[in-house]
């Protein structure tokens, strides 16, 4: 039990109240000081711990990027070494006759196609390129003078050289690796391989974390942020900048410093910086720097630090509050208990009547507070019930909207096979009337195949409605085109002569799914034929072309073209110029092509419309 304090006997309730106020003011000041110190210390600890975590993770990522960069570099480095000892290279440099050079051109062309190199070329001792892997192209290096390039002079003097520069012909940046042919006393020329890092930079960009490689002068060579290329990590001295410009190493690049500032060094290779990325604002990053072995380069890797550090600081401060606040609450409770005991002892000395009156008043206050609380609880429950009803209505409305889209898509996609089935059924009935069972069986077999096709379409569209995605696989493009034409043959009987198809070779394959790609072509063929309905000179041309990036399929017609108002929103759902059209065919076609990494382009005018499908070519 609590002991009765001796001082309480001589203290009145008013005196105890004044002491209690002073004690609570002091407690509040001490508690505020403790909370402030705890928040500051927790924030400092959380920031330090999170920076350490980010640095450890960043070092791992940076080391992986360096390893990948070295792996990309090692393969092309072997080519100049091997070619410098190749007899055909020596013969072309020593003899310089057309036959030897032609043999060397073809050899370099074959070698570059099987490696990751951008171009291979051989330079004579006079600095003129005599053979190149791109000898067939308009930007061929053959005949160009490379005496001014450091990789030529360096290889002629030291035997080998590596030089990163902007191509003076191709205008594309890359690393030039060169090696002398012949001994230093009587050099025959130099073998050069140019390596570009487009794929490496693309892989880096997928991480959404800026990374860049700079040379010994601090000039950015390889970067996941294209606009940072040929910027500098620090301002260049005027003589050094003039020397770089005179060498034409980086063309007319301005060589201005990167938009990275306010560096706070945490260790020799780790610092906190502020950087402005393209399309973004000033943000805080953790910068890690590491050398690239076997090169004079350094890799800098920026990790977004503002949000993670803020989250860590917030988490540690919440944890600190979770510890400090209960302790302060316990202390407040003990203080309050002590003061309450003193007040109770003092109150016992007062009149019993006054005490009872106060108890009654307090009881009434609690009753009113209880009544108000019960009313608030009832109101909250009613509001919650209304919110649940509204939420259920919204969910039902959303389900109905999705159901309408899927039903419209299914109706549009199976309309073509159903029309073809109807034509085949009519033909089969005619053949049976004529007692020609053979053609009738063929028509019935075609109907069975088309019903399977409808099943496939509905499965595909259900997968589309579930936001699913059919895995891409190598598909023979010729079979896809022939299948689409077959499905349209019955529907456009007598008008299909207007469709002229230049079928590709059977060996040409693209990445996708046969059924879904046939859906795309059927939509485009049908739109073109319907646009030409009633024209005597109707003509639809379908052609296939292999490009460096993949395969393009062009569908051109000589119709009246697409009205500008519809062309602006051609790929918007339910946008159509047809009386009975749903406006979903081109939308679905665009989504199917996009699923397999492709795209659809359209151009239209008074002379006709042209749709171009870009697909990825299968390896």
């Amino acid at each position: 039990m609590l002991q009765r304090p001796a001082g309480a006997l001589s203290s009145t309730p008013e005196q105890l109240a004044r002491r209690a106020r002073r004690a609570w003011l002091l407690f509040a000041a001490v508690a505020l000081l403790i909370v402030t110190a705890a928040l500051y210390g927790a924030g400092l600890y959380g920031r330090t711990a999170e920076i350490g975590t980010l640095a450890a993770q960043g070092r791992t990522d940076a080391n992986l990027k360096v390893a990948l960069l070295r792996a990309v570099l090692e393969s092309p480095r072997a080519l100049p070494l091997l070619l410098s000892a190749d007899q055909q290279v020596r013969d072309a440099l020593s003899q310089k006759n057309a036959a030897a050079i032609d043999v060397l051109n073809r050899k370099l062309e074959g070698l570059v196609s099987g490696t990751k190199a951008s171009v291979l070329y051989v330079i004579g001792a006079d600095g003129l390129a005599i053979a190149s892997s791109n000898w067939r192209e308009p930007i061929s290096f053959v005949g160009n003078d490379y005496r001014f390039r450091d990789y030529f002079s360096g290889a002629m003097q030291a035997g080998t050289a590596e030089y990163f520069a902007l191509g003076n012909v191709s205008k594309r940046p890359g690393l030039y690796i060169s090696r002398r042919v012949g001994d230093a006393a009587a050099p025959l020329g130099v073998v050069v391989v140019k390596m570009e890092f487009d794929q490496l930079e693309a892989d880096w960009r997928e991480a959404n974390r800026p990374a860049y490689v700079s040379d010994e002068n601090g000039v950015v060579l390889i970067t996941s942020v294209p606009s940072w290329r040929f910027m500098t990590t620090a301002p260049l001295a005027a003589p050094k900048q003039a020397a770089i410009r005179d060498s034409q190493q980086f063309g007319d690049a301005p060589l201005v410093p990167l938009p990275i500032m306010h560096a706070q060094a945490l260790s020799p290779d780790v610092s906190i910086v502020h950087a402005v990325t393209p399309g973004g604002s000033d943000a805080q990053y953790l910068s890690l720097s590491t050398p690239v072995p076997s090169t004079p380069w350094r890799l800098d890797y920026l990790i977004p630090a503002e949000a993670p550090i803020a989250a860590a600081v917030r988490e540690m401060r919440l944890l600190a509050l979770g510890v400090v606040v209960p302790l302060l609450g316990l202390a407040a409770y003990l203080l309050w208990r002590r003061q309450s005991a003193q007040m109770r002892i003092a109150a016992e000395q007062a009149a019993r009547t006054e005490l009872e009156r106060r108890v009654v008043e307090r009881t009434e206050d609690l009753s009113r507070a209880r009544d108000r609380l019960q009313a608030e609880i009832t109101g909250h429950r009613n509001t919650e019930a209304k919110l649940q009803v509204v939420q259920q209505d919204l969910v039902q409305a959303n389900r109905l909207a999705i159901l309408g889209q899927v039903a419209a898509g299914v109706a549009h996609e199976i309309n073509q096979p159903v029309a073809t089935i109807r034509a085949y059924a009519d033909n089969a009935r005619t053949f049976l009337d004529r007692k020609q069972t053979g053609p009738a069986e063929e028509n019935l077999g075609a109907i069975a195949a088309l019903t399977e096709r409808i099943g496939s379409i509905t499965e595909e569209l259900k997968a589309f409605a579930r936001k699913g995605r059919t895995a891409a696989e190598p598909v023979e493009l010729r079979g896809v085109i022939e299948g689409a034409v077959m499905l349209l043959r019955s529907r456009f009987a007598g008008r299909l002569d207007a469709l002229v198809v230049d079928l590709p070779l059977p060996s040409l394959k693209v990445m996708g799914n046969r059924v879904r790609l046939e859906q795309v072509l059927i939509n485009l063929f049908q739109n073109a034929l319907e646009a030409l309905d009633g024209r005597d000179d109707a003509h639809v041309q379908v052609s296939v072309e292999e490009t460096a990036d993949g395969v393009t399929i062009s569908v051109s017609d000589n119709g009246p073209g697409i009205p500008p108002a519809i062309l602006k929103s051609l790929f918007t759902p339910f946008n159509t110029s047809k009386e009975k059209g749903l406006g979903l065919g081109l939308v679905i076609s665009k989504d199917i092509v996009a699923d397999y990494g492709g795209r659809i382009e359209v151009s239209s005018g008074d002379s006709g419309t042209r749709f171009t499908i870009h697909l990825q070519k299968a390896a």
Side-chain angles (χ1 to χ4, degrees):
M1 295 180 61
L2 291 173
Q3 297 282 329
R4 175 174 296 188
L9 297 175
S10 58
S11 299
T12 64
E14 290 77 11
Q15 292 174 332
L16 290 176
R18 286 193 294 269
R19 287 185 207 162
R21 284 194 292 270
R22 289 194 296 269
W24 282 113
L25 288 175
L26 179 61
F27 178 82
V30 173
L32 180 62
L33 180 63
I34 292 174
V35 170
T36 302
L39 290 177
Y40 176 79
L44 186 62
Y45 176 79
R47 174 184 173 84
T48 303
E50 184 62 22
I51 288 176
T53 301
L54 290 176
Q57 177 189 355
R59 286 191 183 94
T60 301
D61 293 345
N63 290 335
L64 289 175
K65 292 183 183 298
V66 169
L68 179 59
L69 177 59
R70 291 190 62 190
V72 172
L73 287 172
E74 289 307 318
S75 177
R77 281 176 171 170
L79 287 175
L81 175 63
L82 296 175
L83 288 174
S84 64
D86 187 83
Q87 189 60 43
Q88 290 179 340
V89 175
R90 292 176 176 267
D91 291 344
L93 286 171
S94 59
Q95 299 173 11
K96 292 189 177 180
N97 58 61
I101 291 176
D102 183 66
V103 171
L104 183 56
N105 275 328
R106 297 178 185 278
K107 180 171 185 172
L108 296 179
E109 184 180 29
L111 284 174
V112 79
S113 63
T115 65
K116 296 181 180 179
S118 174
V119 64
L120 279 166
Y121 54 105
V122 177
I123 305 174
D126 57 357
L128 296 178
I130 67 168
S132 174
S133 62
N134 64 356
W135 62 283
R136 299 180 189 268
E137 301 176 11
I139 58 170
S140 171
F141 291 0
V142 176
N144 291 329
D145 189 352
Y146 293 100
R147 284 177 294 179
F148 71 97
R149 286 298 198 185
D150 289 355
Y151 61 78
F152 173 77
S153 58
M156 291 292 285
Q157 295 174 6
T160 183
E162 292 187 3
Y163 185 68
F164 195 100
L166 185 71
N168 63 322
V169 175
S170 65
K171 302 303 181 184
R172 292 177 60 84
L175 177 65
Y176 295 84
I177 305 172
S178 59
R179 192 171 187 87
R180 183 181 63 221
V181 180
D183 53 27
L188 298 176
V190 173
V191 176
V192 183
V193 57
K194 181 183 178 183
M195 179 184 178
E196 297 178 0
F197 299 89
D198 294 347
Q199 184 58 48
L200 181 66
E201 291 177 333
D203 294 340
W204 286 1
R205 278 195 293 272
E206 292 181 358
N208 291 325
R209 291 183 175 183
Y212 57 90
V213 175
S214 55
D215 63 8
E216 63 274 15
N217 296 320
V219 179
V220 176
L221 307 178
I222 307 168
T223 174
S224 63
V225 184
S227 60
W228 287 5
R229 184 176 285 109
F230 300 152
M231 299 181 79
T232 61
T233 57
L236 291 176
K240 173 60 70 175
Q241 193 175 47
I244 293 176
R245 292 195 183 282
D246 292 341
S247 69
Q248 301 181 23
Q249 182 179 3
F250 305 119
D252 56 355
L255 300 176
V256 296
L258 288 166
I260 299 176
M261 61 214 81
H262 308 308
Q264 176 188 352
L266 303 178
S267 67
D269 61 339
V270 180
S271 60
I272 296 291
V273 299
H274 288 264
V276 180
T277 55
S281 57
D282 183 8
Q284 190 180 71
Y285 292 87
L286 183 68
S287 174
L288 292 96
S289 180
T290 183
V292 180
S294 74
T295 70
W297 301 345
R298 292 192 69 83
L299 171 73
D300 287 271
Y301 184 46
L302 303 184
I303 304 174
E306 194 166 345
I309 290 177
V313 169
R314 183 167 57 252
E315 182 179 354
M316 291 307 300
R317 284 176 174 173
L318 288 175
L319 181 61
L321 288 176
V323 174
V324 172
V325 169
L327 292 177
L328 291 176
L330 178 61
Y333 170 73
L334 294 176
L335 177 61
W336 171 82
R337 185 175 179 181
R338 179 173 179 274
Q339 291 176 351
S340 297
Q342 291 175 346
M343 291 294 292
R344 187 173 62 253
I345 294 173
E348 289 176 355
Q349 298 174 1
R352 179 75 58 182
T353 305
E354 183 66 20
L355 177 60
E356 292 179 353
R357 186 183 65 83
R358 289 181 178 274
V359 170
V360 170
E361 290 179 355
R362 183 59 178 167
T363 303
E364 292 177 352
D365 291 340
L366 290 175
S367 298
R368 288 193 294 270
R370 182 198 61 194
D371 294 339
R372 288 195 301 269
L373 182 59
Q374 288 179 345
E376 290 179 359
I377 291 173
T378 303
H380 286 318
R381 287 176 178 172
N382 293 335
T383 302
E384 183 180 358
K386 293 178 181 179
L387 287 176
Q388 289 178 353
V389 173
V390 173
Q391 183 180 13
Q392 290 173 359
D393 292 341
L394 290 176
V395 170
Q396 181 64 17
N398 184 49
R399 288 177 180 172
L400 291 175
I402 294 174
L403 180 60
Q405 293 176 0
V406 172
V410 169
H412 182 274
E413 290 302 324
I414 69 174
N415 185 50
Q416 299 150 354
V418 166
T420 306
I421 288 173
R422 175 61 182 271
Y424 275 126
D426 292 339
N427 289 341
R429 180 184 300 166
T430 301
F431 286 131
L432 290 174
D433 291 339
R434 297 175 182 175
K435 306 301 182 178
Q436 296 177 351
T437 58
E441 289 179 355
E442 293 179 1
N443 280 266
L444 292 175
I447 290 173
L450 286 172
T451 56
E452 293 180 359
R453 171 66 189 275
I454 291 175
S456 300
I457 290 174
T458 56
E459 288 300 323
E460 291 294 336
L461 290 175
K462 284 192 289 185
F464 177 79
R466 293 194 300 269
K467 298 186 182 295
R469 179 173 178 175
T470 305
E473 60 184 7
V475 177
E476 183 182 321
L477 184 56
R478 184 187 184 104
V480 173
I481 297 175
E482 290 176 341
V485 174
M486 184 272 292
L487 285 175
L488 293 173
R489 182 170 291 114
S490 296
R491 183 174 180 185
F492 291 94
R495 288 187 289 162
L496 208 59
D497 293 340
L499 186 65
V500 179
V501 182
D502 296 333
L503 290 174
L505 295 175
S507 59
L508 180 60
K509 295 184 178 181
V510 296
M511 296 304 295
N513 175 269
R514 174 165 180 155
V515 172
R516 301 192 81 193
L517 294 180
E518 282 183 4
Q519 293 173 14
V520 174
L521 294 182
I522 287 172
N523 279 322
L524 297 185
F525 293 171
Q526 175 182 279
N527 289 344
L529 291 171
E530 289 177 349
L532 301 174
D533 190 20
R535 294 177 66 104
D536 296 333
D537 60 342
H539 181 78
V540 179
Q541 182 68 41
V542 181
S543 59
V544 178
E545 180 183 357
E546 292 187 62
T547 65
D549 298 331
V551 176
T552 61
I553 307 171
S554 299
V555 181
S556 306
D557 65 62
N558 60 344
I562 302 173
I566 295 179
L567 186 61
K568 291 180 181 179
S569 55
L570 191 61
F571 295 101
T572 302
F574 308 110
N575 175 50
T576 180
S577 61
K578 303 176 185 178
E579 182 178 353
K580 297 183 179 180
L582 293 176
L584 291 174
L586 290 177
V587 178
I588 295 173
S589 299
K590 180 182 178 183
D591 290 340
I592 290 173
V593 173
D595 278 348
Y596 303 122
R599 66 185 189 279
I600 297 181
E601 297 174 350
V602 59
S603 60
S604 185
D606 296 337
S607 59
T609 302
R610 179 187 182 93
F611 283 87
T612 305
I613 306 173
H614 298 268
L615 295 173
Q616 294 182 359
K617 183 167 61 177

